[in-house]
Amino acid sequence: GNSVTQMEGPVTLSEEAFLTINCTYTATGYPSLFWYVQYPGEGLQLLLKATKADDKGSNKGFEATYRKETTSFHLEKGSVQVSDSAVYFCALRGNYGGSQGNLIFGKGTKLSVKP
Amino acid sequence: DAGVTQSPTHLIKTRGQQVTLRCSPKSGHDTVSWYQQALGQGPQFIFQYYEEEERQRGNFPDRFSGHQFPNYSSELNVNALLLGDSALYLCASSFVAVQETQYFGPGTRLLVL
C-alpha cells in the first residue's frame, strides 16, 4: 500500500542555516505530494505541493522537487529563521483507484531553530 | 474568505461516553475528510464525505461514524470512548471535482479520562 517515510527528528539548527528534511514514498501510480507545517497548538497548514514528476513546489523560501526516479520529495530552505520552528509533515494523495480521497502522512519532523 | 472551522476547540470526556465534533468547510468546498492525530504522530485518515455519503474510510472501527449535511458541513461521532481515542481530530475540506488540495481546520483536542 501507499506509505510515506520522513527523516526522524528533532532537527535543531541555528538561524540562517540550510535545512533539508528527507521524505520518500511508496505508491501505486502517480501520487500528488505535499508538505504541511504544524505550529505548536495549531492545525496543519499547506506549505507546498507538486502533482507530477519533476514539478517543484515552493512557498515562503521552502522548496521541494517531485523525483519519481528516487521516489522522493525532500524539503529544503536556504536560510531558516526562528519563526520556522514547527513540525513538518510530508504527505501523499494517491491518484489511483480507492486511494484518491485521503492523504497519507509521514510521522513528522520537529524543527527547532535557535537564534 | 472563511477557512475551515471546527468546534469545540477542546473537549474532556470519560470512558464509555459519546462525543460529537463539528466542521464547516472552506467556502466553495464540497468534500470533508476527518483525521485523527495522536500525540507525536502524523494524522491518520478516518473517513471522507461527499454528497452526504461516506465515500472512503480508513482503518477505524464502527464506533467512529459521521454525517454530512446539505450545506456541506460535517459531524464526527465517536461512541463508547476509549482512553486511546484521546487525540487531536482534524477536519479537512476540498473540492472533489478538481481533486484539489485539502485544507485543514485548527482541530478539536479530545481528552478521554
Side-chain angles (χ1 to χ4, degrees), chain A residues 34 36 38 42-44 46 49 89 93 98-103 105-107, chain B residues 35 37 40-43 45 48 55-56 88 90 99 101-106:
Chain A
F34 305 83
Y36 282 85
Q38 187 173 37
E42 298 185 10
L44 299 177
L46 176 65
K49 68 177 181 180
F89 292 94
R93 179 173 58 78
S99 66
Q100 293 182 44
N102 59 295
L103 289 168
F105 287 87
K107 293 185 175 181
Chain B
Y35 294 81
Q37 185 180 16
Q41 300 296 315
F45 175 72
Q48 183 181 79
R55 67 193 297 262
Q56 194 172 347
L88 180 68
L90 296 165
Q99 291 293 309
T101 304
Q102 295 185 15
Y103 292 87
F104 284 79

Side-chain angles (χ1 to χ4, degrees), chain B residues 65-101:
Chain B
S65 63
H67 188 76
Q68 185 179 35
F69 299 94
N71 67 352
Y72 308 120
S73 66
S74 177
E75 289 181 349
L76 164 66
N77 300 293
V78 186
N79 293 322
L81 284 167
L82 304 174
L83 296 180
D85 295 332
S86 295
L88 180 68
Y89 288 85
L90 296 165
C91 169
S93 74
S94 56
F95 184 49
V96 71
V98 294
Q99 291 293 309
E100 201 172 357
T101 304

Side-chain angles (χ1 to χ4, degrees), chain A residues 25-86:
Chain A
Y25 69 89
T26 301
T28 302
Y30 301 91
S32 297
L33 301 174
F34 305 83
W35 278 100
Y36 282 85
V37 59
Q38 187 173 37
Y39 297 100
E42 298 185 10
L44 299 177
Q45 298 179 23
L46 176 65
L47 183 58
L48 52 83
K49 68 177 181 180
T51 57
K52 61 182 186 297
D54 299 325
D55 266 2
K56 176 186 283 188
S58 62
N59 185 28
K60 300 180 181 179
F62 291 89
E63 293 184 340
T65 301
Y66 188 142
R67 302 287 189 197
K68 186 154 182 67
E69 64 275 14
T70 54
T71 62
S72 65
F73 193 55
H74 304 321
L75 182 68
E76 297 182 337
K77 187 176 185 182
S79 177
V80 294
Q81 306 299 312
V82 173
S83 58
D84 294 326
S85 298

Side-chain angles (χ1 to χ4, degrees), chain B:
Chain B
D1 179 20
V4 180
T5 60
Q6 293 186 243
S7 63
T9 56
H10 295 82
L11 204 51
I12 300 175
K13 292 287 188 178
T14 57
R15 281 179 298 173
Q17 286 189 312
Q18 179 266 343
V19 68
T20 297
L21 311 181
R22 296 176 176 82
C23 171
S24 292
K26 183 178 170 66
S27 179
H29 285 181
D30 56 10
T31 301
V32 173
S33 302
W34 287 93
Y35 294 81
Q36 180 195 66
Q37 185 180 16
L39 197 62
Q41 300 296 315
Q44 298 288 317
F45 175 72
I46 302 174
F47 43 53
Q48 183 181 79
Y49 276 83
Y50 171 65
E51 291 188 332
E52 303 179 49
E53 290 189 358
E54 181 183 295
R55 67 193 297 262
Q56 194 172 347
R57 188 179 184 92
N59 189 25
F60 278 80
D62 292 344
R63 297 187 297 110
F64 290 77
S65 63
H67 188 76
Q68 185 179 35
F69 299 94
N71 67 352
Y72 308 120
S73 66
S74 177
E75 289 181 349
L76 164 66
N77 300 293
V78 186
N79 293 322
L81 284 167
L82 304 174
L83 296 180
D85 295 332
S86 295
L88 180 68
Y89 288 85
L90 296 165
C91 169
S93 74
S94 56
F95 184 49
V96 71
V98 294
Q99 291 293 309
E100 201 172 357
T101 304
Q102 295 185 15
Y103 292 87
F104 284 79
T108 294
R109 188 163 296 281
L110 172 64
L111 177 61
V112 182
L113 300 177

